Amino acid sequence: MNQRNNIWSGVDWITIGLFLALALFGWMNIYGAGYSFEQTSIFSFDNRAGKQFVWLMTAMVVGFCILLIDEKTYDVLGYWFYGATILLLIATPFLAHDIKGSLSWITFGPVSLQPAEFAKCFTAIAIAKYMGRYGYRVETWKDLVVPCVMVLIPMAIIMIMQKETGSALVFGAFLLPLYRQGMTGKIMGSGVIVAIVFVVVMKCGWIPDKWLDKVFEPHQKTRIEVLLGIKEDPTGAGYNVNQSLIAVGSGGFWGKGYLKGTQTKMKFVPEQDTDFIFCTVGEEWGFVGSTLVLLIYLAFILRLIMIAERQRDTFSQVYAYSVASIFLVHLIINVGMVLGLLPVIGIPLPMFSYGGSSLWGFTLLLFILLRLDASRVNKLH
């Protein structure tokens, strides 16, 4: 059997199955989130579900094309991919239209793409290439300077130039693969301490407003203050979360039934087929359905960790842990904000939220990993 046939036999089809299960259930809920009695078919372009189906089909084509590319391509061209991504991120604010204060979307006719969604993948490849070079060891903090700078550059561009705080914060996920490769727990602990101190000083009002205004957009600062109980704003910044909690709570144990969610149908929850898609699950499928979705996500992420652990070279392992961490951070932040446990920062629920950029971005992340994993049998320890 030649190497090409070995690749297909080595593909982790269980992971692809979990990916498809989440994507298809997400597609159904996108239809449910915007459903009305006059609504057309789930396949119609008159609603977002029809458009999402096209994104899903094209994503699968992209995914299987990635499986045909030689796995060495990502290592050899890793820095080139990263450099091109940085240039695109810098150019994006000059090409994008202002959407709710964000300059992160580039429009190509009827299609809009968000480069930040793809930057996570190419940053992961660059970090994996650097840490996978011969003789590299994480022995002192100096060994982490370059990987950390690689993360901070796109993070800063997205946050400062594109004004997209949510997408930028996801880059914090790269701390987990760095920790797995030997970064001391003191650095991770320091990050937690900084977050706790920030919450305390915000709660006590010790940070001057003029300093916060330089870091956060006004609506972002208000969302944090509402979450911490500093101010009440049930009709403003707190409206989304309040309506989301009402929708999730009204679903009860079994849910109201598919396409029968009243909160959803009456459009009480803003962004209910994108950032707040999980509240549609809670209302229509109830506690049982929500738990099932979270269990599928758990199985998916545990599978990614298992794939990471069985890699036979550092490049593939670092990349694999980066992928697992990005999916995990997206899941925690999105579900956390829907349930009122975290600030509303606007990031998609992987494979569930409407949007071609996010779905393609997650597809790119996952299928490059599956391609690297499929060739592990041809590598030596």
Side-chain angles (χ1 to χ4, degrees), residues 4-121:
R4 182 62 61 189
N5 290 332
N6 283 336
I7 294 302
W8 292 108
S9 63
V11 171
D12 195 303
W13 296 102
I14 294 177
T15 302
I16 292 179
L18 293 170
F19 171 85
L20 285 174
L22 290 168
L24 289 172
F25 195 39
W27 171 56
M28 290 175 56
N29 281 276
I30 290 170
Y31 183 69
Y35 178 79
S36 64
F37 293 112
E38 298 81 19
Q39 189 159 319
T40 51
S41 164
I42 192 173
F43 297 102
S44 173
F45 286 173
D46 292 335
N47 59 70
R48 283 188 161 182
K51 298 174 183 176
Q52 185 71 1
F53 182 74
V54 175
W55 285 119
L56 178 56
M57 292 298 101
T58 53
M60 294 312 301
V61 172
V62 169
F64 282 98
C65 286
I66 290 173
L67 294 178
L68 297 174
I69 299 174
D70 192 300
E71 79 280 0
K72 296 183 180 67
T73 302
Y74 307 108
D75 190 355
V76 173
L77 299 179
Y79 293 151
W80 289 98
F81 288 147
Y82 178 76
T85 300
I86 297 302
L87 292 176
L88 181 58
L89 289 177
I90 293 173
T92 297
F94 301 99
L95 302 174
H97 298 290
D98 189 318
I99 301 178
K100 298 180 180 179
S102 172
L103 296 170
S104 60
W105 294 85
I106 301 178
T107 301
F108 302 93
V111 177
S112 295
L113 293 176
Q114 187 177 24
E117 291 293 340
F118 307 101
K120 291 173 284 191
C121 176

Side-chain angles (χ1 to χ4, degrees), residues 213-283:
D213 291 339
K214 292 181 179 180
V215 179
F216 300 104
E217 293 293 313
H219 67 281
Q220 294 168 341
K221 186 180 74 172
T222 303
R223 287 170 177 174
I224 295 174
E225 291 173 337
V226 170
L227 177 70
L228 298 178
I230 298 173
K231 66 168 59 173
E232 296 292 332
D233 191 14
T235 61
Y239 178 80
N240 291 25
V241 174
N242 288 336
Q243 294 301 321
S244 174
L245 291 174
I246 291 172
V248 171
S250 68
F253 190 75
W254 294 107
K256 297 177 180 177
Y258 185 50
L259 305 182
K260 297 180 180 178
T262 52
Q263 290 292 118
T264 298
K265 301 301 165 288
M266 298 182 73
K267 314 295 183 184
F268 282 115
V269 184
E271 313 295 340
Q272 58 191 15
D273 55 3
T274 53
D275 299 340
F276 281 83
I277 187 72
F278 192 72
C279 74
T280 302
V281 179
E283 183 179 22

